[in-house]
Amino acid sequence: MPTTINVTVNGTTRTDTVDERLLLVQYLREVHSLTGTHIGCDTSSCGACTVHLDGKSVKSCTVFAVQADGSEVTTVEGLASNGTVHPVQAAFKEKHGLQCGFCTPGMIMTSVELLERNPDPSEEEIRSGIRGNLCRCTGYHNIVQAVKFAAMESK
Amino acid sequence: MVTMTSAPFEYEKPESVAEASRLLSKYGGNGKLLAGGHSLVPLMKLRLASPDALIDLSGINDLKGIKSTANGLSIGSMTTYHELESSSDVQSGAPLLADAASQVADTQVRNFGTIGGAVSHSDPASDLPPVVLALDATMVTGSQRSGREIPADRFFKDFLTTALRPNEVLVRIDIPKLPANTGTAYVKMANKASHYALVGVAAVITLGAGGVCERARVALTGAGPHAVRARRAERILEGKVLAGNVIRNASKRVGAELDGMFNEDVHASAEYREAMTQVYAERAITAAVANAG
């Protein structure tokens, strides 16, 4: 039996009627047409589908949309404000923290939370903080540099 | 883009433990409690689990929060790994639990996975079951009628099986205060991809006068069908000064309770797990002794 949910996505609250088994990532991509959130492994390993649910990073392939009822969701599309990209997005551009780009939205969402919790992380803390996000290009070096750069720029 | 989709289910969101228990009875064994969902949802997507109903516990306030009491800590079953690792009460009152929680999976999983979900699932490679065993924790349950207090060492029964009854909800985990001069450690050999424990050992060591071990608790995960107390190893440690050879002898007995039934899978053979159990037991006990200072 479909269930009605109210979810605030990137600042806009909407009411939708969804199948209980609809995943949060499907809800964002297919109902909201927000395709910046990617589906990688679909088994909660790779982190490509990472979004913020009530301010905390989560793998949206492992949450049902009904669990987000009454919550706020932020996707990579919601990070920029007034046409200005988020400092972490700017840092990934500046330090070339991406190769093919598939893991990038998830990497950025995890990095944003990492810097909110720890504004001045060591390299080890960055590597540990993003260990739930896999980059199949193995472009970790520049991703770590980008997170460091974002932290430095925010000082 | 195609995703793996679970079988259809009814979604219930009770506001009390009694209501959750009533719903468990209503669905007669085909309802599953949903905590953080980070074990259950993947199983449902793979159709290894296809419950008729999910009973979401996130709306029940009685299952939330960490309380510091005169006797120790009282931890709501819906407390997340992230809350455990970042709570100053847990860091000071049960540093073993804070440390083990920080070693679980990754940030995203720790933000939503819960202690109650972890222990109720009784995954053989889970990090928190050996910790609640080594801390002599008590599992407090609730149902429509009344609750029970189940000691941790009677809680884990088998592979994915606990002492919880079909209509019972785990409400909180009570962790007694540690005695003075007690050191703790959790050390695991983590799978590189999942960070699940190939083997993991939790040790709680209390030292008395002259450095004699007054009390030892050692528990093992990852090695067998479920987490177990290593009572034979504990008996070797207790009453002795913990020199390297005593710790080594005890570590050799840490897998004894498994009666040779070490897990064997694509990640490690039974022989390898048995060998690594001794190595990680020695590291955990040695670190706990050092912390007991």
Side-chain angles (χ1 to χ4, degrees), chain A residues 75-148:
Chain A
T75 70
V76 71
E77 291 95 337
L79 287 181
S81 60
N82 300 323
T84 307
V85 294
H86 187 280
V88 173
Q89 291 175 302
F92 270 67
K93 175 169 179 275
E94 177 65 27
K95 292 294 172 186
H96 200 73
L98 63 151
Q99 290 181 37
C100 83
F102 193 86
C103 73
T104 311
M107 280 287 181
I108 288 176
M109 297 311 288
T110 303
S111 302
V112 168
E113 183 193 55
L114 167 68
L115 293 174
E116 281 168 4
R117 287 180 178 175
N118 181 0
D120 191 18
S122 65
E123 175 158 341
E124 194 187 336
E125 286 168 334
I126 294 170
R127 289 184 182 273
S128 167
I130 62 169
R131 80 181 186 193
N133 294 74
L134 305 182
C135 168
R136 283 199 67 182
C137 308
T138 69
Y140 295 103
H141 180 80
N142 281 2
I143 291 168
V144 172
Q145 296 307 313
V147 179
K148 269 188 195 168

Side-chain angles (χ1 to χ4, degrees), chain A residues 20-21 23 26 39 42-43 50 53 56-59 61-62 64 66-67 110 113 117 129 131-133, chain B residues 1 3-6 8-9 11 34 41-42 45 47 54 82 103-108 110-112 195:
Chain A
E20 289 82 0
R21 59 178 169 168
L23 295 164
Q26 293 171 304
I39 299 168
D42 207 6
T43 57
T50 300
L53 180 55
K56 289 177 295 204
S57 64
V58 68
K59 295 176 182 179
C61 76
T62 307
F64 293 112
V66 288
Q67 292 176 264
T110 303
E113 183 193 55
R117 287 180 178 175
R131 80 181 186 193
N133 294 74
Chain B
M1 198 179 287
T3 47
M4 292 190 291
T5 307
S6 72
F9 56 87
Y11 177 74
L34 175 68
V41 175
K45 289 172 69 177
R47 308 252 176 155
L54 279 190
H82 177 68
Q103 296 185 45
V104 173
D106 52 56
T107 306
Q108 293 97 314
R110 293 199 298 276
N111 279 340
F112 287 85
H195 300 278

Side-chain angles (χ1 to χ4, degrees), chain B:
Chain B
M1 198 179 287
V2 176
T3 47
M4 292 190 291
T5 307
S6 72
F9 56 87
E10 298 288 324
Y11 177 74
E12 305 273 8
K13 196 171 176 184
E15 290 179 357
S16 70
V17 171
E19 176 71 0
S21 174
R22 190 189 66 75
L23 287 164
L24 281 171
S25 300
K26 175 186 164 185
Y27 288 102
N30 295 316
K32 285 292 282 182
L33 298 177
L34 175 68
H38 277 58
S39 297
L40 179 57
V41 175
L43 288 175
M44 290 175 67
K45 289 172 69 177
L46 293 167
R47 308 252 176 155
L48 294 170
S50 300
D52 291 343
L54 279 190
I55 302 160
D56 186 347
L57 300 176
S58 66
I60 305 178
N61 285 328
D62 286 351
L63 307 182
K64 294 175 187 171
I66 298 166
K67 290 188 196 77
S68 194
T69 69
N71 301 321
L73 291 171
S74 185
I75 296 173
S77 58
M78 286 294 280
T79 304
T80 64
Y81 297 114
H82 177 68
E83 287 166 338
L84 293 174
E85 66 178 322
S86 55
S87 154
S88 55
D89 283 338
V90 178
Q91 286 166 0
S92 61
L96 176 64
L97 181 58
D99 180 38
S102 77
Q103 296 185 45
V104 173
D106 52 56
T107 306
Q108 293 97 314
V109 173
R110 293 199 298 276
N111 279 340
F112 287 85
T114 66
I115 182 172
V119 299
S120 301
H121 188 50
S122 188
D123 188 294
S126 186
D127 295 304
L128 297 194
V131 170
V132 297
L133 283 169
L135 291 173
D136 281 334
T138 300
M139 312 302 187
V140 183
T141 73
S143 68
Q144 276 166 280
R145 296 197 192 108
S146 59
R148 286 195 297 159
E149 296 195 353
I150 309 171
D153 66 359
R154 290 191 204 148
F155 187 77
F156 303 103
K157 293 291 189 189
D158 204 343
F159 177 74
L160 305 183
T161 305
T162 68
L164 286 171
R165 291 174 184 148
N167 66 342
E168 220 171 10
V169 179
L170 180 60
V171 174
R172 60 175 207 267
I173 295 105
D174 287 348
I175 296 175
K177 267 203 174 114
L178 293 173
N181 302 316
T182 298
T184 64
Y186 176 66
V187 187
K188 71 169 169 178
M189 177 181 225
N191 176 290
K192 288 290 179 199
S194 69
H195 300 278
Y196 270 111
L198 288 175
V199 299
V201 179
V204 177
I205 303 288
T206 305
L207 297 181
V212 172
C213 175
E214 280 186 351
R215 185 174 167 282
R217 290 287 182 276
V218 181
L220 173 65
T221 193
H226 60 98
V228 289
R229 273 265 303 272
R231 291 174 188 278
R232 279 171 257 200
E234 292 170 2
R235 283 199 292 271
I236 294 172
L237 296 166
E238 285 175 344
K240 296 197 187 70
V241 174
L242 299 183
N245 62 327
V246 176
I247 294 174
R248 197 161 306 122
N249 285 338
S251 299
K252 285 179 185 161
R253 301 293 287 158
V254 165
E257 277 71 14
L258 297 179
D259 293 325
M261 297 292 285
F262 283 86
N263 291 338
E264 174 143 350
D265 57 27
V266 65
H267 305 298
S269 66
E271 291 81 359
Y272 187 66
R273 275 198 171 81
E274 185 169 7
M276 289 305 106
T277 294
Q278 294 178 18
V279 171
Y280 281 77
E282 192 171 336
R283 290 181 189 175
I285 296 165
T286 303
V289 171
N291 292 339

